[in-house]
Structures are given as C-alpha cells and as structure tokens.
Amino acid sequence: EDVAGLVTWTADGTWPLAYSQVVRGDRRWELELVYDHAPAREAAGLAAASDALRGALDVVRAGGGGHVHLWITRPEPAHDRLAASVGLAPGRDLWQVRLPLPVDEPWSLTTRPFVVDRDEEAWLAVNNRAFDWHPEQGGWTLDDLRAREAEPWFDPEGFLVHEEDGEMAGFCWTKVHADHDPPLGEIYVIAVDPARHQRGLGRALVLAGLDHLARAGLTVGMLYVDADNTPATRLYDDLGFRLHHVDRAYTGDVPPA
C-alpha cells in the first residue's frame, strides 16, 4: 500500500525508457528515478523520465499529498531542469566522501560494542539529541532501530559505544558494503551527546570506527555528510576524506488531489 512503481515505454511497447518509484514515509514521500541514458535514446529517455515523475506525483496527490524528496545520484544540469519541469527544486546536497585505510593518526578512546536488548534506549536518547535538526537521523524510534538490527549487515561489534560516568557519551556505528569492489567500510552514524561537545570526542570516535574497519580488512572508508554541515565537512577533510560524488534531493510540497 505504501509503494508504487511506474514504468514508461517506447511507443511500440518494446523498450522501457524510465522507471520511478514512490514510497510513503512517516514524514514525507520518497521518490527515486532511473532512465535510459543511451546516446541514441537520450532525448526520449529524458521525456520518459518527466512522464514517470509526473505519474509519481499523481500517486502522491491521490494519496493525500505532502512533502516530496527525489534523490538523484551524481546530479547533472539536466536533472535540475527535469526536476524543475515537475515543480521540484534542489533542496539538499549529500556528499559521499572516501579515504584510504588505515589512517595514520593516533587516537586514544575507550569503546565497547553495542549490546542488543540493553543499549537501545540510551542510544536513542543520545542520537535524537544530537540529530534533533536532521531530517532523517533525528526522531528515531525503537522500531527504527530494531529494523536496522534486523538487517543482514548489522554487526554490534562494529557499533562502538563510548561511555563516561556510566552513561553513553557518544558512538560510532560502522557498516560494511561487501557488494562493492573493493568492499567499502562506512561510518554509518557518528554522534556525541551535545552536552559533551568541544572535547574532541567526535574526531576520536571517527578514528576508532575507521581503525575497526581497517582491522577487519577494509582498505577504503567512506561516509555521507550534508554539504552545508560545515563543522563536519571540515573535520572529515582534515582527516583525509575526499569528495567521491554528490547525491541531491529535489524537494517540493504536493497538494492533495
């Protein structure tokens, strides 16, 4: 009930030119799009992509309307024009940054693995305080966390927790993308309790996570960061991360039908 997929074809129905997907979320609708980039069909692919997006937005209208995010990986000017043609505008740039592992920087911090069925409430409290401004990472529920724990990639040994005075002060949650060549080690979520900022804990937690990934045999580390999060981008640049590509969210508000 909460997912729809739309395909546009050539006039003779023999070749798919574009596909759009709509997912109803708790706070917004998520749209995704792929279309034929072959030079011989580029113009037709773009036209079909526009049709597919219009169909997706019709689904949103029929579902009561709401705020929409369309994510495009490695956006080009054509994507800006395509989004504008259906009433969406650039709203957020997400950088994927990478660096080689291991990192040649010493660090010192006591961490332990996350304990399932014990650490959830403390983690949710720290995470939601740290990301109260964030459109996706803020406001997590226990169900959200349980869903991640059920994923095949979840590994509590790579979910590092730092405690002070018996309380969770910060964490670095890592994730391995084994389907990449070479495999990628991701800093999935990293945060420090806002009450403990300005003490260098964030840098040490990132280094702890990268060291864990390197010891697991990973040679490339990566993470995602909002382009306008200047303190974070400065930290990651200083650690040696370099921009790999940009993902862009095109956003808009769609009225109900």
Side-chain angles (χ1 to χ4, degrees), residues 15 56 83 86 97 129 155 159 161 207 253:
W15 190 263
V86 298
V97 294
R129 284 196 296 270
D155 177 13
F159 194 158
V161 171
L207 288 168
D253 293 302

Side-chain angles (χ1 to χ4, degrees), residues 99 103 105 203 231-242:
L99 88 172
V103 176
E105 180 175 334
R203 188 185 192 98
T233 58
R234 285 177 176 169
L235 169 62
Y236 299 139
D237 182 71
D238 190 54
L239 284 167
F241 284 93
R242 296 296 178 261

Side-chain angles (χ1 to χ4, degrees), residues 90-103:
R92 180 182 171 204
D93 276 4
L94 193 65
W95 290 355
Q96 189 193 108
V97 294
R98 299 185 182 186
L99 88 172
L101 297 176
V103 176

Side-chain angles (χ1 to χ4, degrees), residues 37-60:
H37 285 266
R41 292 184 294 271
E42 186 172 7
L46 278 167
S50 179
D51 288 341
L53 279 181
R54 292 181 191 281
L57 294 177
D58 285 343
V59 171
V60 175

Side-chain angles (χ1 to χ4, degrees), residues 13-195:
T14 60
W15 190 263
L17 290 171
Y19 171 78
S20 63
Q21 181 168 285
V22 195
V23 179
R24 185 204 300 268
D26 293 334
R27 286 164 280 188
R28 63 172 184 249
W29 297 80
E30 301 284 356
L31 273 61
E32 295 190 35
L33 174 74
V34 290
Y35 63 91
D36 198 330
H37 285 266
R41 292 184 294 271
E42 186 172 7
L46 278 167
S50 179
D51 288 341
L53 279 181
R54 292 181 191 281
L57 294 177
D58 285 343
V59 171
V60 175
R61 291 186 185 94
H67 191 62
V68 168
H69 268 212
L70 165 66
W71 282 103
I72 297 290
T73 299
R74 297 177 176 86
E76 301 173 357
H79 295 120
D80 289 354
R81 295 190 294 270
L82 178 63
S85 74
V86 298
L88 302 179
R92 180 182 171 204
D93 276 4
L94 193 65
W95 290 355
Q96 189 193 108
V97 294
R98 299 185 182 186
L99 88 172
L101 297 176
V103 176
D104 186 21
E105 180 175 334
W107 60 276
S108 177
L109 192 70
T110 302
T111 64
R112 62 164 177 83
F114 181 91
V115 179
V116 175
D117 295 332
R118 191 185 77 186
D119 285 332
E120 283 81 1
E121 292 300 332
W123 182 86
L124 286 168
V126 172
N127 178 81
N128 291 345
R129 284 196 296 270
F131 291 105
D132 61 356
W133 54 274
H134 198 277
E136 290 145 6
Q137 193 60 36
W140 272 39
T141 66
L142 182 58
D143 287 342
D144 295 326
L145 181 53
R146 290 294 192 194
R148 301 312 192 280
E149 291 176 349
E151 291 285 348
W153 54 262
F154 178 77
D155 177 13
E157 292 297 317
F159 194 158
L160 307 179
V161 171
H162 171 64
E163 291 181 315
E164 294 182 359
D165 302 322
E167 296 182 346
M168 190 178 298
F171 60 87
C172 183
W173 186 353
T174 68
K175 175 181 180 180
V176 175
H177 297 265
D179 55 340
H180 282 254
D181 185 18
L184 296 177
E186 179 182 357
I187 302 293
Y188 182 55
V189 193
I190 176 340
V192 174
D193 191 315

